[in-house]
Amino acid sequence: MNMKLSFRLALIMLVIPCSLLVTFTHYPAIQAMINSFWNNGSSRRPSRFVGTDNYLTLIEDDRLMQVLFNSTIYAIGTIPLAIGLAIGMALLVNSRLPGTALMRLSFFMPTMLPMIAVANIWLFFYAPGIGLASQILEIFGLPSINFLGRTDTSLASMMFVAVWKEAGLFMIFYLAALQAVPTNLKDAARLEGASSGRVFLDIVLPLLRPTTIFVAVNALINAFRLVDHVIVMTEGGPNNSSSLLLYYIYEVTFRQRDFAYGATLTVLMVFTLGLLAIAQFWLLNRKAHYQ
Amino acid sequence: MTLSKLYATMMNATALSVAIAGSVSAADLEFYFPVGVNAPAVETIQALTDEWATANPQHTVKAVYAGNYEDTTTKALTAANAGQPPQVAVLLSIDLFTLIEEDVILPISDIANTEEDKEWISGFYPGFMKDAQFEGKTYAIPFQRSTPVFYYNKDAFREAGLDPEAPPKTWDEMIEVGKALTVKDDSGNVKRWGTRIPTLGLGGAWLFGGLVVSKGDVLTTETGTEARMDTPATLASLEFLLRLAEEEVMAPGGITWGDTPKAFLEGQTASMWTSTGNLAFVEKNAEFDWGVGFLPGGDGPGAPIGGGNFYIMQDTTDEERAAALSFIKFMTSPKSAAKWSMATGYVAPRPDTWETPEMKAYTKRLPQALVALDQLAYAEREFATFQRAKVTQYLVDAIESVVTGNANPAEALSKAQKGADKVLSDYK
Amino acid sequence: MKQGLDRILFSTLAIVLAAIWALPFAYSVWTAFHEEKYSANFQLSAPWTLENFIVAWQAAPFSLYFANTIILITIVLIANLVLCTLVAYAFVRYKFRWAGFLFAFIMVQLLISPEILIVENYLTLSRVGLTDTIIGIALPYLTSAFGIFLLRQTFLTVPKSLDEAAQIEGASTWRILWNVYVPLSWPVYLAYSLVSVSFHWNNFLWPLIITNSPEVRPLTVGLSVFATVDSGVEWSLVNAATLMTTAPLIIAFIIFQRQFVANFMRAGIK
């Protein structure tokens, strides 16, 4: 509609709600940038301007390199895996196999749980010697694996937890999309002799593209936003092998009380997310229309 | 008595009691404390707090269970930053320098300055007072102190043909004994390890400190500006940890603190190195005969001291401070300390507590409780410096990188030392 | 014949996958109902007990945590519904120069959510003295970009003719909103409410750093305080506590399965 917005209406409908949003999104981003040029103050020594000192620390920070590496692997690993599993689950649940309601419950249940509950469940599951994973390995005569205590398995273990939680949610989106696929298209293809596999690859999958984009964006956001499991299960360890960027920010700021460096890391994070957003935008504009 | 006279008397009585109450300076105390999920521990604190509150009706005290040690410190600091600190809290002894730097605690010696008070302060074990003092003032009062001890499964010892009354005393003995205790199943997988020493996180760093002390060195000093991470003692300690895994006495890789008691109770390990604070938990749940000994040492016995002290916050009124001091005196009094020690296994911080009939009966029934006390003579303060969290992280990283096989000890320690020195250079 | 074999194969695959998927959660639930000593030694014949729930309930003020969570999600939900409606309405019905820019500006919150800026948001709340309050937890989330997005999409589908007709009859801006737009968007409001409630019920990191005392702690933080211990972890207790805190959501899901799924689906398509 094209009505004119009066000042009074603008105030109520836009200014007040949006100022709340801006205060906790845009304002802090700018504050972080400003604060990254100052050092920490305490009662004994007030904070002073240090220019790019914090950024120099950032560049020389070995732990940060590990963290960035971890975050990249984590994103690259969890997103396709979650999507793939979600499509598979959606296909299974959408089929005419028996027990689909139970299947759907089982797949979707982890999504209902808070990540912290998921973390506790998996912490218990992974506990070497005591947890269910070990008990199962024992049945097969295999030695217990110290999933969370080894640098080569800790990140993968975290990734699996995240996928376990997310895939069910994405399955629901794919279910919707699958049910929206016109059956006459599939029937026509089958009549022409196409196998189930071909029907899927050539007809269904392309139609799922918009959903995939939506799900991928969601998964990407979550990969950065959700670090509850790292806090509870490994505290980023051992030796920072499972530390993710937001966890590192939490550790530096709230455990080590280094607010200045925390602000600097926040700037890095916002910058990274900004780049990713631009990349996504560019990619989206090149591909097919997404309503 | 006429109604009006009754009324007048009541008013007078009320006025009088208000005046009396007012003259004893009422204070509302908020008390942060850390504990684990051990139900009796939380209840015990609550019961003790209630006891003091009943005896001091002019004050109120609210005991706030704030999580584990780290969480409690974080919460106390954030509350202080926000201008709403608790008045009194039990926090890690090693947080001393952080609390001083952030200017949130006051020197208790400043307000406990009567002759009686000074005598009271001198009645604590000197070992526990070491890390409560800075620049000549006493900033904290010991409350739930502990050292790690060596718990072992006597039945397992008997099975392995070892003397159940002779736990290993040295590192070499530990390896000998450990090898005999390790049990494998038919496929060659270890069903029970010889020993279990947590190596991850702050728990691992704590135990590591004990290893270093047993080699005759310390990790930090009372100045708070020195971290001795790259020394022959630390090198030897890391090598010992590696040897334990190599000789298949201990599981390789990172070992968590939290799961250790459970692993011991489940028979996954024949012995464990963990806090004496787990004594009550083990006693309640062990289905085998068990004992406690000194931590096996490199050149001799050695252990780190750990646990929490009482602190009084800076942002308090005189009434609150007086009330807080009274509260602390009560909580550390022989009777209270005895109750607390028996409920958890923490070491009562005053000699006079051990002399009470309750404690004597307790130690007769559970002689394992005396081990931590006896080990105190060989114990040194836990790792503590300014910017403790940041500096300790270097040590934690070093230990974790070595036990997970990602770095060799010498390199890891050198890297840690560089990192620590850089942070502490501001303070020298 | 091949069809039959395919079916059996897929059936087996489906059941196995679903069973494996459910295993960690199922075992956690099982442990909650059995004594601690069975948590590491699964035995089908082990006796059931409610002891863990009783002990866990008494060991920490879970009723308080429940109350806090419910207050929190209620505040957030009401604010979300009202504020997002207002903004969406403005975008849909009115024309103003900077509309495109403002919309993009708001959508930034989709990517850069309040948790990302945890350091500064904490400092902001600290400065106004709202740390350790429930409203403090809620504040950054009161206006939700996601809600605005959803509602704007939905309002766009409302036929303009209805709006114009109502205007001719002399209805005010607010009447039209309340009587035309809102009722027609009712399914989306429901969908969004489910999303909002489950998001905030489950939120952890932000409440963790903002709250200190049990009076304000929501369930997620209460659960973590309960579970991170310095002395031996009792898994049966922790699993019982976990189950207790998630039970309401699970029960709600099982009862409203159909609606949940349908609404999440709708939220996704839009």
Side-chain angles (χ1 to χ4, degrees):
Chain A
M1 301 223 20
N2 291 327
M3 296 169 55
K4 200 162 120 53
L5 192 62
S6 71
F7 183 71
R8 195 182 64 108
L9 278 181
L11 204 64
I12 302 173
M13 295 203 289
L14 287 176
V15 174
I16 296 177
C18 292
S19 55
L20 269 174
L21 193 142
V22 168
T23 312
F24 293 99
T25 307
H26 306 81
Y27 166 71
I30 299 183
Q31 266 305 103
M33 266 181 261
I34 298 176
N35 284 343
S36 65
F37 294 112
W38 294 69
N39 73 353
N40 288 308
S42 67
S43 311
R44 293 189 170 195
R45 303 165 312 152
S47 164
R48 59 184 165 91
F49 185 79
V50 290
T52 54
D53 270 7
N54 289 327
Y55 288 95
L56 282 170
T57 315
L58 190 138
I59 296 177
E60 290 167 4
D61 188 356
D62 287 340
R63 275 192 217 129
L64 181 62
M65 295 307 131
Q66 175 77 45
V67 166
L68 289 176
F69 177 71
N70 292 345
S71 298
T72 311
I73 304 273
Y74 185 83
I76 295 179
T78 55
I79 299 174
L81 188 58
I83 291 178
L85 277 170
I87 295 179
M89 289 174 189
L91 285 172
L92 284 173
V93 171
N94 199 38
S95 69
R96 280 155 299 134
L97 295 170
T100 51
L102 267 174
M103 265 191 259
R104 194 179 56 196
L105 182 66
S106 167
F107 293 138
F108 191 63
M109 182 65 80
T111 306
M112 296 309 302
L113 306 172
M115 186 47 129
I116 170 109
V118 169
N120 276 334
I121 292 173
W122 280 87
L123 189 57
F124 176 50
F125 186 78
Y126 281 139
I130 315 173
L132 192 59
S134 284
Q135 290 185 47
I136 294 178
L137 284 169
E138 213 183 301
I139 295 179
F140 289 106
L142 294 166
S144 154
I145 301 179
N146 192 359
F147 294 99
L148 301 177
R150 289 165 50 161
T151 51
D152 53 351
T153 54
S154 60
L155 187 62
S157 305
M158 291 293 108
M159 284 163 61
F160 203 72
V161 172
V163 169
W164 186 75
K165 183 177 185 339
E166 285 198 318
L169 178 63
F170 299 159
M171 169 192 78
I172 299 289
F173 296 139
Y174 278 115
L175 258 182
L178 280 178
Q179 287 173 2
V181 170
T183 40
N184 51 7
L185 271 182
K186 290 196 283 190
D187 290 341
R190 273 209 206 90
L191 273 172
E192 293 189 24
S195 71
S196 292
R198 277 257 81 105
V199 169
F200 176 69
L201 282 173
D202 293 339
I203 298 185
V204 178
L205 205 53
L207 284 173
L208 290 179
R209 174 178 277 155
T211 312
T212 304
I213 295 177
F214 177 76
V215 161
V217 169
N218 249 302
L220 185 66
I221 295 176
N222 277 345
F224 279 93
R225 198 183 65 81
L226 209 50
V227 291
D228 304 354
H229 49 325
V230 178
I231 297 178
V232 166
M233 294 172 80
T234 59
E235 293 191 336
N239 197 23
N240 303 306
S241 56
S242 62
S243 184
L244 299 174
L245 190 51
L246 186 56
Y247 175 76
Y248 191 51
I249 292 178
Y250 162 73
E251 187 185 39
V252 163
T253 312
F254 296 99
R255 291 260 175 101
Q256 295 176 6
R257 326 276 322 154
D258 190 348
F259 280 81
Y261 192 50
T264 318
L265 290 170
T266 303
V267 171
L268 176 65
M269 183 152 203
V270 171
F271 186 66
T272 309
L273 285 173
L275 279 180
L276 283 169
I278 294 176
Q280 262 170 36
F281 198 62
W282 180 75
L283 233 91
L284 271 175
N285 274 353
R286 274 179 34 144
K287 303 254 179 176
H289 258 303
Y290 171 45
Q291 72 178 98
Chain B
M1 206 186 237
T2 68
L3 206 58
S4 56
K5 262 215 175 133
L6 181 63
Y7 182 69
T9 314
M10 275 170 56
M11 287 307 288
N12 284 332
T14 315
L16 193 59
S17 48
V18 165
I20 292 178
S23 71
V24 193
S25 312
D28 294 320
L29 295 182
E30 209 185 358
F31 160 48
Y32 279 15
F33 70 96
V35 197
V37 79
N38 263 323
V42 174
E43 280 166 23
T44 312
I45 292 269
Q46 194 57 58
L48 287 172
T49 309
D50 290 341
E51 218 185 297
W52 181 82
T54 319
N56 294 273
Q58 72 277 27
H59 303 309
T60 66
V61 58
K62 191 173 86 164
V64 176
Y65 162 42
N68 62 19
Y69 277 123
E70 272 181 58
D71 286 342
T72 309
T73 302
T74 308
K75 287 179 190 318
L77 281 172
T78 48
N81 281 338
Q84 299 159 342
Q87 283 67 43
V88 61
V90 170
L91 304 171
L92 281 172
S93 59
I94 54 178
D95 278 331
L96 182 67
F97 301 109
T98 308
L99 295 168
I100 289 177
E101 184 177 9
E102 302 240 5
D103 218 8
V104 294
I105 55 172
L106 61 87
I108 296 187
S109 48
D110 278 357
I111 58 170
N113 45 21
T114 66
E115 275 311 310
E116 215 186 286
D117 288 338
K118 291 201 188 127
E119 228 194 274
W120 169 69
I121 291 185
S122 65
F124 288 90
Y125 284 111
F128 292 141
M129 289 304 284
K130 268 192 239 175
D131 54 16
Q133 289 159 336
F134 179 67
E135 289 180 349
K137 297 192 183 191
T138 302
Y139 279 86
I141 298 294
F143 177 59
Q144 53 189 56
R145 306 309 302 271
S146 60
T147 69
V149 288
F150 181 75
Y151 293 76
Y152 64 101
N153 184 335
K154 285 188 179 172
D155 288 342
F157 266 56
R158 286 184 194 108
E159 267 173 46
L162 299 163
D163 177 3
E165 302 310 319
K169 290 202 170 50
T170 67
W171 288 357
D172 288 327
E173 277 174 34
M174 178 74 254
I175 296 195
E176 283 277 330
V177 161
K179 283 205 271 212
L181 288 167
T182 305
V183 171
K184 294 195 183 167
D185 67 12
D186 305 318
S187 358
N189 300 322
V190 176
K191 268 177 30 174
R192 185 180 71 203
W193 293 96
T195 193
R196 183 177 163 129
I197 307 180
T199 49
L200 291 177
L202 290 176
W206 192 43
L207 287 166
F208 184 75
L211 295 175
V212 170
V213 171
S214 78
K215 286 298 277 181
D217 206 334
V218 286
L219 282 172
T220 56
T221 63
E222 71 282 346
T223 59
T225 57
E226 192 185 349
R228 304 174 53 76
M229 303 222 225
D230 194 2
T231 62
T234 55
L235 190 62
S237 303
L238 280 180
E239 283 169 354
F240 172 58
L241 288 174
L242 285 175
R243 235 178 102 204
L244 284 170
E246 272 164 41
E247 307 263 8
E248 293 192 313
V249 171
M250 185 166 93
I255 297 181
T256 53
W257 173 270
D259 278 333
T260 300
K262 176 87 180 166
F264 177 65
L265 292 171
E266 286 297 319
Q268 312 253 333
T269 175
S271 61
M272 64 170 176
W273 301 43
T274 189
S275 171
T276 183
N278 277 320
L279 215 59
F281 185 67
V282 172
E283 196 202 356
K284 178 167 156 239
N285 293 300
E287 293 181 346
F288 46 78
D289 193 14
W290 58 282
V292 170
F294 279 11
L295 297 176
D299 294 338
I305 308 180
N309 291 341
F310 264 109
Y311 294 89
I312 300 183
M313 302 294 159
Q314 182 84 271
D315 194 0
T316 43
T317 63
D318 287 330
E319 290 84 31
E320 286 168 344
R321 291 174 189 184
L325 191 58
S326 157
F327 181 62
I328 295 176
K329 283 186 179 162
F330 172 75
M331 295 294 273
T332 54
S333 65
K335 274 199 76 176
S336 310
K339 282 203 192 112
W340 181 235
S341 188
M342 292 191 286
T344 54
Y346 280 121
V347 180
R350 300 176 59 91
D352 54 20
T353 311
W354 293 90
E355 299 301 318
T356 60
E358 293 92 345
M359 281 301 274
K360 287 225 171 281
Y362 169 64
T363 51
K364 196 149 177 255
R365 190 191 91 229
L366 198 65
Q368 291 94 328
L370 283 169
V371 176
L373 183 63
D374 294 335
Q375 201 180 222
L376 200 55
Y378 306 99
E380 292 291 339
R381 59 192 301 157
E382 190 179 350
F383 191 104
T385 61
F386 285 99
Q387 301 265 17
R388 174 189 67 79
K390 224 190 216 320
V391 178
T392 314
Q393 193 60 38
Y394 286 105
L395 180 64
V396 168
D397 280 352
I399 299 174
E400 287 183 354
S401 65
V402 168
V403 299
T404 54
N406 287 321
N408 78 49
E411 277 168 17
L413 289 172
S414 160
K415 190 165 157 211
Q417 187 69 61
K418 279 205 200 74
D421 286 342
K422 186 154 172 260
V423 174
L424 290 172
S425 59
D426 266 350
Y427 295 87
K428 294 206 208 260
Chain C
M1 204 63 249
K2 186 163 184 302
Q3 271 270 25
L5 206 63
D6 266 350
R7 253 182 90 82
I8 296 179
L9 209 65
F10 275 123
S11 267
T12 324
L13 182 69
I15 293 174
V16 167
L17 188 61
I20 294 179
W21 209 255
L23 199 56
F25 179 65
Y27 192 61
S28 164
V29 172
W30 188 89
T31 309
F33 284 100
H34 292 80
E35 284 171 44
E36 173 62 16
K37 61 177 183 225
Y38 297 108
S39 66
N41 306 298
F42 178 71
Q43 273 177 44
L44 202 53
S45 56
W48 291 73
T49 171
L50 287 175
E51 185 71 24
N52 295 321
F53 292 95
I54 300 175
V55 172
W57 184 263
Q58 290 171 343
F62 281 104
S63 49
L64 189 55
Y65 297 156
F66 263 109
N68 291 336
T69 297
I70 292 180
I71 294 174
L72 175 65
I73 59 174
T74 309
I75 293 177
V76 176
L77 183 62
I78 294 178
N80 275 169
L81 292 176
V82 170
L83 295 173
C84 297
T85 302
L86 290 175
V87 179
Y89 194 47
F91 275 114
V92 164
R93 221 169 165 252
Y94 297 89
K95 181 171 137 107
F96 44 98
R97 252 185 318 207
W98 22 284
F101 168 73
L102 184 61
F103 191 70
F105 195 64
I106 294 175
M107 289 300 122
V108 166
Q109 199 215 41
L110 285 178
L111 195 58
I112 304 190
S113 51
E115 300 86 55
I116 305 280
L117 294 156
I118 205 167
V119 176
E120 298 302 326
N121 283 333
Y122 171 77
L123 287 174
T124 305
L125 278 190
S126 183
R127 255 178 247 129
V128 297
L130 282 176
T131 52
D132 212 24
T133 59
I134 295 185
I135 187 73
I137 306 177
L139 220 47
Y141 297 100
L142 293 182
T143 311
S144 154
F146 183 61
I148 294 174
F149 179 75
L150 267 189
L151 287 174
R152 177 178 168 271
Q153 294 287 79
T154 314
F155 284 176
L156 279 175
T157 67
V158 170
K160 298 204 176 31
S161 48
L162 283 178
D163 191 329
E164 281 158 8
Q167 278 179 54
I168 293 175
E169 291 184 28
S172 72
T173 314
W174 306 112
R175 287 242 81 168
I176 297 181
L177 173 63
W178 186 250
N179 286 18
V180 176
Y181 286 83
V182 170
L184 284 175
S185 314
W186 146 251
V188 176
Y189 275 111
L190 188 58
Y192 179 65
S193 300
L194 290 172
V195 171
S196 174
V197 166
S198 73
F199 178 87
H200 290 285
W201 185 285
N202 295 342
N203 203 13
F204 175 63
L205 182 57
W206 171 248
L208 175 70
I209 61 148
I210 277 292
T211 61
N212 287 324
S213 40
E215 283 75 23
V216 183
R217 239 177 245 155
L219 277 170
T220 46
V221 182
L223 183 61
S224 85
V225 165
F226 182 76
T228 50
V229 297
D230 283 335
S231 46
V233 175
E234 281 197 53
W235 282 114
S236 55
L237 282 186
V238 173
N239 283 317
T242 304
L243 190 56
M244 272 192 325
T245 56
T246 56
L249 278 183
I250 297 174
I251 293 173
F253 175 63
I254 295 181
I255 296 177
F256 297 108
Q257 241 193 93
R258 197 167 287 278
Q259 286 92 317
F260 251 113
V261 169
N263 286 314
F264 266 108
M265 276 161 57
R266 219 180 256 113
I269 304 180
K270 296 241 187 295

